[in-house]
Amino acid sequence: MDEKKITIFDVAEKAGVSKGTVDRVLHNRGEVSKKSEAKVREAIKLLNYEPNLYASLLATKSKREIALLLPKYNKGEYWEMLYDGFVAGGEAVSSLNISTNVFLYDQYDSASFKTAAERMLESRPSGVVIPPLFKNDTMELVNKLNAMDIPYVYVDTRLEEGNYLAYYGMPMYKSGYLCASLLTDRRREDEVKEIVVVRIQRDKSRLSDPTINRRAGFTDFIETYFPECVIYNLFIDPSDARSTNEALESFHELHPGIKHVVMFNSRVHLLSDFFKRHPDNQRCVIGYDNLDGNVEAVREGLVNLLITQHTDRQSHDAVVTLADYIIMRKQPPIRDCYVHMDILNKYNLENY
C-alpha cells in the first residue's frame, strides 16, 4: 500500500499551528514567532515533509536573483570555467523563476572588487556566489550579506569564517600536500635539494593571495620529509610574456640545477616557452587545472602532471544549492563539498 502523501495540513496539525503559519515559514514571508517556527520546522522533520517546489514558487509569484562576483577573464582562462558553470546552473533553475547576474572586477585591484561588491549589494540579490580573492574585502562583504540576511556560497576557495551556506572546491591545504607528494615521489632526500614555486604578481599591496593554503600544505610536506630542501619563490607577470621570460632566464642563470618546479594557480602553461628553450628530461613540473594551454603543455611533455577538477561543477552546484535554500530553506547535506582532486598526465588527459 502506498504511503499517504504528507501535506501542509498534516504539518500544521502536527505543529499545532494554522496552515497560514506553515505557509509563511515555508516561503519565508510575514511575521512568525520563533516558537511557532521551531514547531513547524520540527513537524516538517518528523513527517519528512517535502514541499512542492513549483507550488511554492506559484504561491510567492516573486522573482529571485542569484549573483556571482567574479574576476574579469580572457577566453580560455580559469575564471571562464566558473562563469560557464554559473550560467549552466542558472539555466537549471530558470524555470523556478530564478535569474542570475554576474558582477565582474579586476582581480589585481582591491578597489575594483569593492566597487563590484557595492553594485551587487545595490541589486539586492537573493543569494551570492563568491570566489574570495581579497580576504579582508570579502570579509567586509560577507558581514554586509549577513546583516541583509542574504545567503552566500564560496567557490574555488573559502575563508575560515562560519556563516557561509556551502563551499564547493578543492580542499586547498590537502591539494598542496598532494602536490608535494607527487613532486617528490620515490625521490631520496638528497635528490630534492631545491624547489622553485612560480607565483603570479597580484595586487601591489599583496591583499590577494588565493593559493596561500595550498602553499601551506606543500611547505608542510617538504619541511617534514625533505627538511634540508630550499624553496624559492619566483614572481612573474602573467600579462607580459617578455618580462616573464626574462625573470625565468635570470633565475635559471642563478639556479641552473633546479629539477622541481611548481605553480599553484592555473597558469603553468606560461612556462612552456622557457621549458622548450631549456629541455631537461630530469625536470619535474606540476601545475593545476585543465586549461587548454596546460593540457597542451602536458601533451608536449613540458609539464608532468596537472592536479585538476571539474571547475564548472563548483559554480553550477553553488547556484542549485542557493536555489534550494532561497525557495525552501533547504540546507545542503554537506557544507564543505570538496571536489575530487584528479591527477592528469599525458596518458590519461584525453579521456578527462
Side-chain angles (χ1 to χ4, degrees):
M1 182 181 297
D2 292 337
E3 293 184 3
K4 174 189 172 185
K5 181 175 177 60
I6 303 300
T7 69
I8 192 173
F9 296 99
D10 299 311
V11 175
E13 182 179 1
K14 184 74 174 176
V17 299
S18 69
K19 172 183 172 292
T21 298
V22 176
D23 184 78
R24 286 192 292 275
V25 172
L26 289 174
H27 300 140
N28 192 34
R29 63 185 185 197
E31 292 296 328
V32 179
S33 70
K34 292 184 178 180
K35 184 177 180 180
S36 294
E37 181 179 359
K39 288 181 178 180
V40 172
R41 300 283 183 203
E42 180 65 18
I44 289 172
K45 183 178 179 181
L46 290 173
L47 295 173
N48 197 27
Y49 172 68
E50 294 185 2
N52 185 302
L53 197 58
Y54 293 95
S56 298
L57 285 168
L58 198 60
T60 61
K61 294 182 180 178
S62 61
K63 291 185 177 181
R64 313 296 178 90
E65 181 176 281
I66 295 175
L68 170 65
L69 196 58
L70 187 72
K72 296 175 183 177
Y73 59 85
N74 295 316
K75 187 171 179 57
E77 291 183 344
Y78 174 82
W79 301 115
E80 183 181 25
M81 293 191 286
L82 273 179
Y83 172 81
D84 289 344
F86 182 76
V87 171
E91 291 173 353
V93 303
S94 61
S95 62
L96 308 180
N97 224 16
I98 295 178
S99 61
T100 54
N101 197 3
V102 181
F103 296 84
L104 298 172
Y105 65 92
D106 182 350
Q107 64 177 297
Y108 305 108
D109 184 0
S110 172
S112 176
F113 176 92
K114 292 179 180 178
T115 299
E118 286 302 319
R119 286 192 295 108
M120 182 193 68
L121 291 174
E122 289 171 2
S123 73
R124 303 292 297 190
S126 301
V128 181
V129 180
I130 313 171
L133 265 67
F134 294 95
K135 180 179 179 179
N136 292 339
D137 295 328
T138 300
M139 282 301 307
E140 183 178 335
L141 169 62
V142 299
N143 286 336
K144 292 178 181 178
L145 292 173
N146 289 327
M148 298 168 71
D149 196 27
I150 298 175
Y152 56 95
V153 174
Y154 287 132
V155 294
D156 180 58
T157 187
R158 66 171 175 82
L159 300 185
E160 299 293 335
E161 55 88 22
N163 293 315
Y164 59 95
L165 179 65
Y167 165 60
Y168 289 93
M170 283 189 184
M172 295 296 282
Y173 180 91
K174 287 184 178 179
S175 72
Y177 209 84
L178 172 64
C179 178
S181 175
L182 294 170
L183 187 73
T184 60
D185 186 34
R186 290 174 289 189
R187 303 290 179 97
R188 300 191 312 271
E189 185 174 331
D190 61 350
E191 294 179 313
V192 185
K193 298 178 180 180
E194 295 177 307
I195 296 172
V196 57
V197 176
V198 183
R199 298 171 59 182
I200 297 297
Q201 291 177 358
R202 295 191 175 273
D203 60 303
K204 294 180 180 179
S205 53
R206 300 282 179 88
L207 297 176
S208 172
D209 193 359
T211 63
I212 185 170
N213 290 332
R214 187 171 282 166
R215 294 201 311 276
F218 181 91
T219 301
D220 284 353
F221 182 98
I222 296 301
E223 289 180 350
T224 299
Y225 297 103
F226 299 89
E228 301 302 318
C229 179
V230 178
I231 300 177
Y232 298 99
N233 288 278
L234 173 63
F235 289 87
I236 62 172
D237 182 350
S239 64
D240 189 339
R242 181 177 178 179
S243 70
T244 291
N245 284 320
E246 288 176 353
L248 291 169
E249 291 290 352
S250 296
F251 185 85
H252 180 65
E253 289 181 8
L254 294 174
H255 310 278
I258 291 185
K259 304 294 184 182
H260 301 87
V261 184
V262 174
M263 282 193 79
F264 292 125
N265 54 65
S266 62
R267 309 195 208 189
V268 72
H269 62 88
L270 297 176
L271 311 183
S272 293
D273 287 343
F274 172 82
F275 292 149
K276 288 177 182 178
R277 293 195 304 273
H278 301 278
D280 186 345
N281 59 14
Q282 298 299 312
R283 183 190 293 129
C284 183
V285 183
I286 298 181
Y288 286 77
D289 299 309
N290 58 318
L291 274 64
D292 289 345
N294 293 347
V295 170
E296 184 59 28
V298 173
R299 186 178 289 113
E300 293 182 20
L302 303 172
V303 172
N304 299 81
L305 298 173
L306 293 175
I307 300 173
T308 188
Q309 59 193 313
H310 290 286
T311 303
D312 55 337
R313 292 182 185 174
Q314 296 180 33
S315 45
H316 173 280
D317 292 349
V319 172
V320 174
T321 294
L322 280 167
D324 282 346
Y325 182 79
I326 290 165
I327 296 165
M328 298 191 301
R329 283 297 184 261
K330 180 180 178 182
Q331 295 280 350
I334 301 174
R335 193 182 191 204
D336 290 326
C337 305
Y338 295 123
V339 300
H340 293 163
M341 294 186 289
D342 303 319
I343 302 169
L344 299 187
N345 60 23
K346 63 182 179 181
Y347 302 110
N348 67 351
L349 58 85
E350 298 297 341
N351 300 319
Y352 189 66

